[in-house]
Amino acid sequence: MKPVIARTREELAAARARVAGTLAFVPTMGALHEGHLSLMRQARRSADTVAVSIFVNPLQFGPGEDFDRYPRTFDADVEACAGEGVDLIFAPARDVMYPAEPQVTVLSGPMGEIVEGAARPGHFNGMLTVVLKLLNLVRPDVAIFGEKDAQQLAMIRRMVADLDVPVRIIGGRTVREPDGLALSSRNRYLSSAGRKTALALSHALRAGADAAAEGPKAILAAAGTVLDAAATADPPLVLDYLVLVDPASFTPITAPCAGPAVLAVAGRVGTTHLIDNVHLQLGKEH
Ligand code: PAF
């Protein structure tokens, strides 16, 4: 069956009122790929009804970023949602989402200013603002976000906890190409040479993970060696950051310690901004 498409708040409210049982929600910016589809399958397993939003949120793009050229593939996205049995698509126009220029927005706090937040100032304020608005409008029981955007997921969990938003947040695993490249709507910007360079991100994470037992210094050194080589490729990888962080707070782990960690990397190939990460378990002895 085709999903119901709600383009206005009124259409969404009417569709929401018809939902019986529990509702799982997958917010997206469209240009859907297998990573999104796996979130939809997870949503299907988590609740009776599945809703997806498709909205390219201007607030989370900085000046000079790719808001204007961000891929918009609405018809294909609707087909993809239909293929996954999605019940409801919320696809608001900009003036439906933001009838007036918002004056009150979510402030992402110190976590929003480090790592990806330092590379993209203001990004997390805009992202959290739209996520909170979407959660308020859709009122799901469960919302599912990809683990590829690990800091985004951590910040959403933090916002939901700090602001008592009544929703359960679930992370969905990163889906990769057979050669390791993490799926991203932005991969379609890459030339074939650029795609080869971009593989350095996942290869660096693998090298870092392989060194996990040797502690933070060795992890960063192993990943750094792969990234250094990619910096001289054609086209080159321009590194934004490589960090080993605490998964919940995203504060850097520099000293040896035991417990979970995230090795996160971001860089640009040409004008394409790419991010990736891997979860690691650190041992005590280093
Ligand atoms: O991850 C995304 O696609 C976006 O950041 C989100 C969560 C849909 C908010 O615009």
Side-chain angles (χ1 to χ4, degrees):
M1 235 176 49
K2 287 248 173 213
V4 170
I5 301 177
R7 291 195 174 270
T8 64
R9 287 160 182 258
E10 293 72 23
E11 287 168 3
L12 175 65
R16 181 65 183 90
R18 287 195 296 272
V19 172
T22 51
L23 178 64
F25 177 40
V26 182
T28 81
M29 298 205 299
L32 302 178
H33 52 65
E34 186 55 36
H36 296 108
L37 304 192
S38 89
L39 301 182
M40 291 173 201
R41 284 173 214 137
Q42 210 171 333
R44 173 57 63 212
R45 293 192 295 275
S46 311
D48 303 313
T49 300
V50 175
V52 168
S53 64
I54 298 175
F55 179 65
V56 185
N57 173 36
L59 251 57
Q60 70 189 74
F61 290 79
E65 291 189 8
D66 57 345
F67 174 71
D68 287 333
R69 72 175 181 129
Y70 196 84
R72 287 156 172 91
T73 57
F74 186 70
D75 293 342
D77 292 346
V78 172
E79 282 307 307
C81 289
E84 294 304 327
V86 167
D87 302 287
L88 169 63
I89 297 174
F90 180 43
R94 182 179 181 147
D95 63 346
V96 169
M97 211 55 209
Y98 299 110
E101 196 59 36
Q103 295 195 13
V104 178
T105 54
V106 178
L107 199 57
S108 54
M111 211 208 297
E113 287 165 15
I114 55 176
V115 192
E116 183 74 0
R120 301 181 68 190
H123 166 69
F124 285 122
N125 295 341
M127 181 280 293
L128 290 177
T129 299
V130 84
V131 168
L132 185 59
K133 283 166 70 72
L134 288 167
L135 293 174
N136 284 336
L137 290 166
V138 176
R139 290 183 291 106
D141 299 281
V142 176
I144 304 179
F145 297 85
E147 286 175 354
K148 185 173 81 67
D149 295 291
Q151 191 174 1
Q152 166 171 287
L153 177 58
M155 302 219 51
I156 291 168
R157 286 191 198 284
R158 190 66 206 235
M159 173 179 77
V160 162
D162 285 352
L163 301 183
D164 300 308
V165 185
V167 66
R168 185 160 64 90
I169 302 297
I170 304 182
R173 68 175 182 87
T174 301
V175 179
R176 298 180 181 278
E177 302 275 13
D179 59 8
L181 186 71
L183 296 194
S184 162
S185 303
R186 291 187 167 102
N187 288 353
R188 64 187 79 194
Y189 299 150
L190 295 168
S191 65
S192 64
R195 190 190 176 288
K196 238 171 133 186
T197 300
L199 271 178
L201 298 184
S202 57
H203 290 175
L205 295 176
R206 170 81 58 84
D210 287 345
E214 294 159 54
K217 229 173 123 186
I219 293 168
L220 291 168
T225 303
V226 178
L227 298 170
D228 286 348
T232 59
D234 182 19
L237 174 73
V238 179
L239 187 67
D240 284 330
Y241 57 80
L242 168 70
V243 286
L244 185 69
V245 294
D246 174 90
S249 67
F250 260 70
T251 48
I253 298 171
T254 45
C257 62
V262 168
L263 182 62
V265 65
R268 274 160 293 128
V269 178
T271 54
T272 306
H273 177 73
L274 297 166
I275 64 173
D276 201 353
N277 69 83
V278 66
H279 284 259
L280 304 175
Q281 195 64 32
L282 301 179
K284 270 206 267 312
E285 61 273 22
H286 294 281

